[in-house]
Amino acid sequence: MRIPGVSAAVTLLALAGAAAAAAGPAGPAQAPSPAPDRLQWFREAKFGLFIHWGVYSMIGREEWARQLLQIPLEDYRYYADNFNPVDFDPDAWAALAKEAGVKYVVITSKHHDGFSIFDSAYTDYDIMRSKYGRDILGPLSASMKKAGIPLGFYYSIMDWHHPDYLPRRAWETDRTTKGADFGRYMDFAENQLKELVAKYDPAVLWFDGEWEHSNEEQRAFAIGKMLMAMKPTLLINDRLYKREPGYGDFGTPENFVPATGVRNPDGSPRLWEACYTMNWNGWGYNRYETEFHSSPQLIRQLVEIVSKGGNLLLNVGPRPDGRIQDDFAARLREIGAWLKTNGEAVYGTTASVFERLPFFGRCTVKGRTLYIHVMGWPADKTIRLPGLETEVKKAYLLTGPGRPLTFRRAGKDVVVTLPERAPDPAATVVAVELQGAPVVEPYMIVPEKDGRVELPVYLADLRSEMGQRAYLDHFYRTTMLTNWQNVNDYPEWTFTTDKAGAYEVRVSYASMWGGQAGYEVEVDGLKLAARTEPSPSVYSPGTFPVGQVALGAGEHRLRVRITCVANNHAMNLEKVVLVPAK
Ligand code: GLC
């Protein structure tokens, strides 16, 4: 929660669970004092389940169906009246959540369409008017409570139904703005929020749809303060206010992983939760969906996020009858199975102590134990932990804790020898117990002995925005950036050279549609443009020269950006190499 006029240091205090968290515009003096560790469970939870469910699921065109199809209010009422999820079984949902290994669940109480899936005293546009005619959030809260899983509620500020909500969308020609009063709408929202807290005692209020009003902070602060006074342990996301560091208890990057985690304005780490869809298109039920991330990819996604200090809130959009389709359920169970063995490397861990690892893997930390999640089994069957000054006591796989792995010191690094094969190709976890708290020297990408600079994709920061598609994957002997079709996704490397000189830039990639996709290599702002050429196969990269650059001694930044995609494919990028020009 943001305290206007007070610096980020105070926000940090709030992160640490201090009373400042509840301070609204009036300042800490009048704030109720929340439990000191109110954020602790959330910080340790790491994995939550998001549920987008409402009358829009009947249409099967995602939760924005009403806008997408420009459905008149009158016609949309048909869905509100006829919603009848006869197979909704809250115990089954709780059991699935348990099996998936999630530590909390967040469900939409009211989405942008304005329909409340709970029994609300403040509107008749709620579940009670539907054919189903029974409350949903009450029974769900009870089932989750029985299962020991905290439940939170998503609440949309934007509302396409309430007569007082403003502004209106261009397609809304049938809801008059005459007499509409946004302040009165916020009174309604406030009443519903109080109702949600009083009736169901949620652990989290997860706001959304704030963007049409993100400059009107005062009302939001007042609501936040009021809710905190009702329930001092309640967590509130940033979207009641603004999606910016410094607001709310946690940040909510949507469908992308921030390249280097999330920080407060003063540079301190911020609590954050990336919400993600398992499928490609939409949060609510999409009957036409055919594209789903694979379970190994979702497991790696979870690890990636946790290694950067965040939580993953993974979404499902149940069917209109209340069942969760197998595409979702099966993936949840597979992630849960992985967590059964590897959960200790996820829950309650903190971010990696390594800025980067010289292989395709990620690190999480608990006290004196490092967990190295190996995602691409290295050809030489070793992993190098760069700059690890603390001595290692013991190393073993979580799949076989009884069998120690051998390790040796190699200068500033520690090298652990792995078994022949990866027990789990998605991510095999090596536990590395240290003799003390981890001390690690920062990692720098520097030239090899012959002067060349190697920039493999696993050493890059993967920059992205909402709608990230690109991710790393391991193919046979190499790791590549794959599924690269969003031009906003790009790898970026920072490296140093020790002397000035000209370098030949060579890019190694595999490409399916040779010659059709365009890309650029950008070195310190200078762009070299190229088109993809055919490689031996989509799994085996070829190496292609793209030009020369002159570099001074010192630090440099290199990015590869795609400029044009062909058939949903640009290239599978393996690495960029700078070779001193002859
Ligand atoms: C976006 C969408 C919304 C979805 C939310 C989840 O803001 O508008 O439909 O619920 O993302 O983060």
Side-chain angles (χ1 to χ4, degrees):
M1 196 157 312
R2 164 142 160 164
I3 304 104
V6 181
S7 76
V10 181
T11 311
L12 226 209
L13 274 180
L15 288 179
Q30 294 164 27
S33 58
D37 60 348
R38 54 190 274 280
L39 299 171
Q40 198 57 27
W41 74 267
F42 185 79
R43 191 179 287 117
E44 291 177 358
K46 296 297 166 200
F47 185 30
L49 179 68
F50 213 175
I51 305 177
H52 274 71
W53 198 42
V55 299
Y56 45 79
S57 57
M58 292 172 78
I59 306 166
R61 299 292 304 272
E62 313 168 24
E63 75 290 357
W64 279 71
R66 188 156 168 240
Q67 157 149 320
L68 185 75
L69 306 171
Q70 310 211 340
I71 304 174
L73 207 48
E74 193 50 44
D75 293 1
Y76 199 78
R77 201 163 285 136
Y78 168 84
Y79 300 106
D81 292 342
N82 288 286
F83 186 54
N84 192 17
V86 287
D87 293 328
F88 170 57
D89 176 354
D91 281 339
W93 284 16
L96 180 61
K98 230 176 167 133
E99 247 189 296
V102 299
K103 297 296 184 191
Y104 61 105
V105 172
V106 177
I107 185 168
T108 48
S109 61
K110 179 189 88 149
H111 206 270
H112 306 335
D113 67 359
F115 185 86
S116 304
I117 67 161
F118 60 102
D119 178 3
S120 174
Y122 298 97
T123 180
D124 62 1
Y125 202 58
D126 69 348
I127 193 71
M128 302 316 283
R129 76 177 295 132
S130 70
K131 220 174 224 154
Y132 190 64
R134 277 171 281 157
D135 186 20
I136 286 189
L137 296 189
L140 186 62
S141 301
S143 295
M144 290 297 172
K145 195 164 189 181
K146 247 191 303 169
I149 302 174
L151 180 66
F153 299 140
Y154 166 110
Y155 189 88
S156 173
I157 295 171
M158 183 162 73
D159 190 308
W160 299 334
H161 169 270
H162 198 280
D164 278 321
Y165 183 83
L166 292 168
R168 299 295 161 78
R169 308 231 133 203
W171 47 268
E172 285 192 85
T173 48
D174 54 354
R175 182 168 56 148
T176 175
T177 53
K178 242 190 36 232
D181 175 348
F182 181 71
R184 207 161 51 207
Y185 167 75
M186 285 309 278
D187 295 342
F188 159 76
E190 189 172 323
N191 281 330
Q192 277 208 317
L193 290 161
K194 278 191 208 156
E195 185 180 35
L196 283 169
V197 173
K199 247 172 123 167
Y200 310 109
D201 193 32
V204 180
L205 280 179
W206 209 104
F207 288 90
D208 186 35
E210 80 293 359
W211 53 83
E212 292 177 334
H213 293 279
S214 52
N215 291 324
E216 299 151 42
E217 294 182 337
Q218 294 316 313
R219 187 73 199 251
F221 288 130
I223 290 181
K225 195 175 166 190
M226 177 276 294
L227 294 169
M228 292 298 302
M230 277 184 85
K231 178 167 174 156
T233 55
L234 183 71
L235 303 192
I236 298 177
N237 72 343
D238 56 346
R239 298 187 190 180
L240 171 58
Y241 318 96
K242 232 180 222 176
R243 295 181 203 193
E244 279 172 22
Y247 289 86
D249 288 318
F250 56 95
T252 55
E254 181 176 318
N255 267 331
F256 76 98
V257 184
T260 52
V262 180
R263 303 204 160 257
N264 284 308
D266 71 348
S268 57
R270 166 164 169 76
L271 197 54
W272 60 282
E273 173 205 66
C275 50
Y276 249 96
T277 55
M278 270 195 234
N279 51 308
W280 286 14
N281 304 289
W283 302 81
Y285 178 60
N286 177 356
R287 67 167 89 205
Y288 299 105
E289 184 60 284
T290 54
E291 310 263 24
F292 296 84
H293 298 295
S294 68
S295 303
Q297 166 55 11
L298 293 167
I299 289 166
R300 287 171 176 177
Q301 188 86 277
L302 170 64
V303 172
E304 169 88 12
I305 289 166
V306 175
S307 79
K308 289 171 177 166
N311 289 6
L312 168 62
L313 185 64
L314 189 60
N315 182 71
V316 298
R319 296 160 42 97
D321 59 11
R323 283 180 295 148
I324 294 175
Q325 72 196 73
D326 278 349
D327 303 288
F328 294 138
R331 283 168 175 78
L332 287 175
R333 292 197 180 98
E334 278 163 28
I335 301 168
W338 182 85
L339 280 165
K340 257 211 167 82
T341 307
N342 301 294
E344 76 162 271
V346 172
Y347 307 122
T349 60
T350 52
S352 175
V353 286
F354 302 101
E355 224 169 301
R356 31 191 62 87
L357 288 169
F359 53 89
F360 180 26
R362 294 288 180 265
C363 165
T364 56
V365 184
K366 201 182 278 168
R368 294 179 168 194
T369 303
L370 306 180
Y371 296 102
I372 312 297
H373 304 246
V374 185
M375 297 165 174
W377 216 235
D380 68 354
K381 311 292 180 308
T382 67
I383 50 169
R384 179 177 291 265
L385 306 179
L388 177 60
E389 286 175 17
T390 325
E391 294 305 334
V392 172
K393 201 155 80 184
K394 198 167 134 196
Y396 52 92
L397 300 184
L398 289 190
T399 49
R403 284 173 308 235
L405 299 177
T406 58
F407 56 87
R408 64 186 164 84
R409 177 152 289 283
K412 297 199 155 170
D413 307 342
V414 170
V415 176
V416 182
T417 304
L418 303 174
E420 199 50 36
R421 266 176 237 293
D424 194 326
T428 294
V429 180
V430 183
V432 180
E433 288 181 14
L434 304 177
Q435 301 194 355
V439 177
V440 172
E441 197 171 274
Y443 188 97
M444 298 289 275
I445 304 178
V446 296
E448 310 283 306
K449 281 192 199 81
D450 63 0
R452 66 168 61 208
V453 181
E454 294 263 348
L455 304 172
V457 282
Y458 52 74
L459 286 182
D461 290 331
L462 188 53
R463 308 235 169 242
S464 191
E465 291 169 16
M466 217 190 263
Q468 177 174 351
R469 288 284 180 266
Y471 56 84
L472 297 185
D473 202 355
H474 197 72
F475 300 83
Y476 303 121
R477 281 175 205 86
T478 192
T479 300
M480 292 193 274
L481 180 66
T482 189
N483 202 40
W484 194 6
Q485 42 177 286
N486 184 338
V487 294
N488 296 320
D489 300 342
Y490 63 93
E492 180 179 86
W493 298 261
T494 305
F495 62 94
T496 55
T497 49
D498 36 21
K499 43 179 189 291
Y503 290 84
E504 214 184 275
V505 181
R506 294 180 189 166
V507 184
S508 296
Y509 57 81
S511 151
M512 233 187 321
W513 312 100
Q516 292 182 30
Y519 69 101
E520 268 169 12
V521 180
E522 193 183 312
V523 194
D524 296 339
L526 179 93
K527 290 176 186 168
L528 300 171
R531 298 219 135 241
T532 53
E533 293 174 42
S535 65
S537 88
V538 74
Y539 301 118
S540 11
T543 297
F544 306 92
V546 294
Q548 278 202 5
V549 288
L551 297 179
E555 194 173 289
H556 307 283
R557 182 160 300 178
L558 187 147
R559 310 174 163 155
V560 181
R561 300 204 69 146
I562 49 173
T563 50
C564 150
V565 177
N567 292 324
N568 281 338
H569 175 80
M571 60 164 79
N572 287 340
L573 178 66
E574 184 192 37
K575 63 181 174 180
V576 178
V577 182
L578 303 179
V579 185
K582 296 237 166 61

